[in-house]
Amino acid sequence: MSDDATITKPRASTKPKVEKPKLYKVILLNDDYTPREFVVRVLKAEFRVTEDQAYRIMITAHRQGSCVVAVFTRDVAETKAARATDAGKAAGFPLTFATEPEE
Ligand code: TYC
């Protein structure tokens, strides 16, 4: 063995082996044209919320301009937002669901 050989002791790692995935919010945006009942129907179908929860989310967006529907991994959030927005478009409404990373 050479003189300058150094032995490094392995240290206990503090880095988690499994990274937790970043989460994304799906946000419902208000508009002046989509009927309230239609918004409720889309929320129930795409996000599996109850009538009561869907109504509260819809009325919050209606009054405040937007409302967080739920948080998911990026892929799921983007897919659900796109599907829900497409459901509005297919019926001729400007209903929009956006996504945004959580802090
Ligand atoms: N503002 C719409 C109306 O008065 C209803 C509505 C609520 C539309 C929430 C979109 O995200 C929305 N018919």
Side-chain angles (χ1 to χ4, degrees), residues 27-37 39-40 43 57-63 65-67 94-97:
I27 302 161
L28 169 65
L29 304 178
N30 186 37
D31 67 72
D32 293 338
Y33 305 100
T34 310
R36 293 178 181 206
E37 316 78 64
V39 180
V40 169
L43 285 168
I57 293 164
M58 179 281 295
I59 208 68
T60 300
H62 178 73
R63 289 174 180 156
S66 65
C67 181
L95 182 64
T96 304
F97 290 80

Side-chain angles (χ1 to χ4, degrees), residues 43-63:
L43 285 168
K44 285 168 70 181
E46 190 59 44
F47 299 95
R48 318 296 298 177
V49 291
T50 65
E51 176 85 26
D52 226 65
Q53 292 168 327
Y55 184 83
R56 284 164 196 242
I57 293 164
M58 179 281 295
I59 208 68
T60 300
H62 178 73
R63 289 174 180 156

Side-chain angles (χ1 to χ4, degrees), residues 10 66 68 75 78-79 82 87 90 94:
S66 65
V68 175
D75 230 53
E78 285 174 353
T79 301

